[in-house]
Amino acid sequence: MKLTSVELLRLQMPLVSAFRTSFGVQTARDVLVVAVHTADGVTGYGECVALSDPVYNEEYVESAAQVLERYLVPAVLACEDLHAAWVAELTAGFVGHRMAKAALELAVLDAQLQAAGMSLATYLGGTRERVDVGVSVGITDTVEQLIETVGRYREQGYRRVKLKIEPGFDVVPVTAVRQAVGPDLDLQVDGNTAYRAKDLAHLQKLDDLGLLLIEQPFEHDALALHAELARRCVTPICLDESITSAAATARSVLAGACSIVNIKAARMGGYLEARRAHDVAQALDTPVWCGGMLETGLGRAANLALAALPNFTLAGDISASARYFAEDITEPFALEDGRISVPTGPGLGVTVRTDVLQDVLTSRTTVRI
Ligand code: SMG
Ligand code: MG
């Protein structure tokens, strides 16, 4: 495969409701989409999930756009016989910027699989037609609002709910939700690195609430601290921000820092590395689930394909399109009895709605050799 040009599209997409985490509030997504054009006339898409600011990890949308334009895209455009599996190698000389690399790799993978007539789920080794999904609920001003929001999502059919927590908004609201919903709803919490060693004893109080897991309370490199919490709790510890590669997956599990892994392909440089992380976790008898970054239908399609792999045994943060956007840039994904269908068409298996894209497009940069 030979690429003739690569476009970097910037989209401004308002969220249907504000999403507050321990690191900030998201009210809209400033999305970067990579579109690769091949000499054979195929266009492949990859969504870059970096946030507007470097608050989840060190990347942000401007940094991703810049490193793609200046370094990553030229490295790939120069290749006369490109294959998705080579994108990581061709860009390995540029340190970090995994979300930017993942978006480029996904666009190449989409083009390659469209040309081959194969779906991403089939290529990755997916074994399910529909996957269990959950919903991630942001921090609210009051406990009443939180209970009301959880109740609304439950009515929509979500059977697994993740509650965002932060110091000052944890044991009390989560206990109140557990009392309101009863023991049957699968509940989990996510601290997004907001806690420190002094909070160990306080976090242990979450252990009585029948949670599925406690996600990333401590900083990304605090493996020993997560291992200490794991020793003190019956509730499994799950890592998100720490999992930057398949090797980090093995390191974290073997250190006893987690017994469940949140797999986000973009955080580890792409869907091919995510598949390796899935395989490593499976070899270590560690279940995984698919994380989310408030993706559009493009990233959501790829996440559904990934979540079809056999060791994705827990519901992912892959909610219906309507939970995020009034209008998505692809056909929307709907919830069917707590699940979403995995796309079956070639590549990502979704179509970009050019009319919606035009409405939300804020800039377009074309990179040629
Ligand atoms: O895509 O439904 C979604 C959001 C899931 O909570 C979610 N993601 O730490 O797991 C996480 C967060 C990171 C993104 S917050 C803007
Ligand atoms: Mg998380």
Side-chain angles (χ1 to χ4, degrees):
M1 194 165 62
K2 167 74 182 153
L3 300 188
T4 49
S5 67
V6 176
E7 285 178 288
L8 303 175
L9 311 173
R10 286 280 289 277
L11 321 176
Q12 183 66 19
M13 297 185 54
L15 291 166
V16 291
S17 55
F19 185 59
R20 182 171 151 206
T21 66
S22 61
F23 58 73
V25 185
Q26 316 291 315
T27 53
R29 285 297 269 131
D30 180 357
V31 183
L32 175 63
V33 173
V34 178
V36 302
H37 301 287
T38 75
D40 296 328
V42 178
T43 299
Y45 291 98
E47 176 172 351
C48 179
V49 304
L51 300 178
S52 305
D53 302 306
V55 287
Y56 166 80
N57 66 357
E58 62 278 69
E59 294 186 76
Y60 57 105
V61 68
E62 286 285 349
S63 76
Q66 198 178 63
V67 79
L68 276 159
E69 182 175 354
R70 193 156 158 190
Y71 299 104
L72 308 180
V73 170
V76 167
L77 273 175
C79 185
E80 290 299 322
D81 186 17
L82 184 64
H83 190 280
W86 299 337
V87 173
E89 268 184 62
L90 290 166
T91 59
F94 307 114
V95 179
H97 298 280
R98 293 185 187 85
M99 289 176 169
K101 290 175 179 175
L104 181 57
E105 185 193 81
L106 183 59
V108 174
L109 197 49
D110 181 31
Q112 177 181 316
L113 293 174
Q114 282 183 52
M118 182 186 281
S119 74
L120 180 59
T122 301
Y123 179 78
L124 292 174
T127 53
R128 292 187 195 92
E129 288 174 10
R130 302 202 301 167
V131 298
D132 289 343
V133 300
V135 62
S136 178
V137 178
I139 294 166
T140 50
D141 289 337
T142 67
V143 173
E144 292 71 31
Q145 280 170 11
L146 186 65
I147 293 172
E148 194 264 319
T149 307
V150 171
R152 200 153 26 83
Y153 284 130
R154 202 180 189 189
E155 274 168 27
Q156 291 169 19
Y158 290 103
R159 290 193 294 250
R160 190 230 71 179
V161 172
K162 164 162 128 179
L163 304 175
K164 290 290 188 179
I165 57 170
E166 66 181 359
F169 190 89
D170 44 40
V171 177
V172 171
V174 179
T175 305
V177 169
R178 175 52 89 203
Q179 279 167 358
V181 299
D184 290 342
L185 186 69
D186 283 342
L187 271 184
Q188 61 194 60
V189 295
D190 186 0
N192 285 109
T193 74
Y195 292 87
R196 300 293 174 262
K198 66 175 170 49
D199 302 314
L200 267 168
H202 181 69
L203 286 167
Q204 261 180 273
K205 296 180 193 161
L206 292 168
D207 205 24
D208 299 330
L209 300 176
L211 302 177
L212 273 186
L213 58 90
I214 299 171
E215 180 178 345
Q216 196 80 43
F218 305 117
E219 288 164 288
H220 74 97
D221 55 354
L223 289 192
L225 208 45
H226 284 104
E228 178 58 24
L229 184 64
R231 274 190 290 275
R232 294 186 186 197
C233 289
V234 175
T235 310
I237 305 303
C238 170
L239 291 180
D240 170 353
E241 282 87 338
S242 304
I243 307 295
T244 51
S245 62
T249 303
R251 207 159 44 236
S252 305
V253 172
L254 293 173
C258 65
S259 53
I260 294 178
V261 175
N262 169 329
I263 296 204
K264 280 182 191 162
R267 189 193 54 218
M268 49 180 93
Y271 285 80
L272 303 182
E273 182 71 4
R275 179 174 58 184
R276 288 189 282 272
H278 161 275
D279 295 350
V280 162
Q282 191 168 32
L284 295 170
D285 292 323
T286 303
V288 304
W289 56 280
C290 185
M293 293 293 292
L294 310 171
E295 287 89 351
T296 71
L298 290 173
R300 195 165 311 288
N303 283 344
L304 287 162
L306 183 66
L309 270 69
N311 194 38
F312 280 83
T313 52
L314 295 164
D317 281 345
I318 317 175
S319 310
S321 307
R323 178 253 176 268
Y324 308 94
F325 307 109
E327 278 216 278
D328 205 341
I329 54 168
T330 66
E331 58 273 43
F333 290 100
L335 196 65
E336 311 150 22
D337 195 23
R339 298 192 183 88
I340 299 183
S341 293
V342 177
T344 53
L348 293 177
V350 285
T351 326
V352 172
R353 298 161 67 188
T354 40
D355 52 331
V356 180
L357 188 74
Q358 283 311 323
D359 286 348
V360 295
L361 189 68
T362 58
S363 76
R364 183 193 289 265
T365 306
T366 306
V367 189
R368 287 193 183 83
I369 219 160

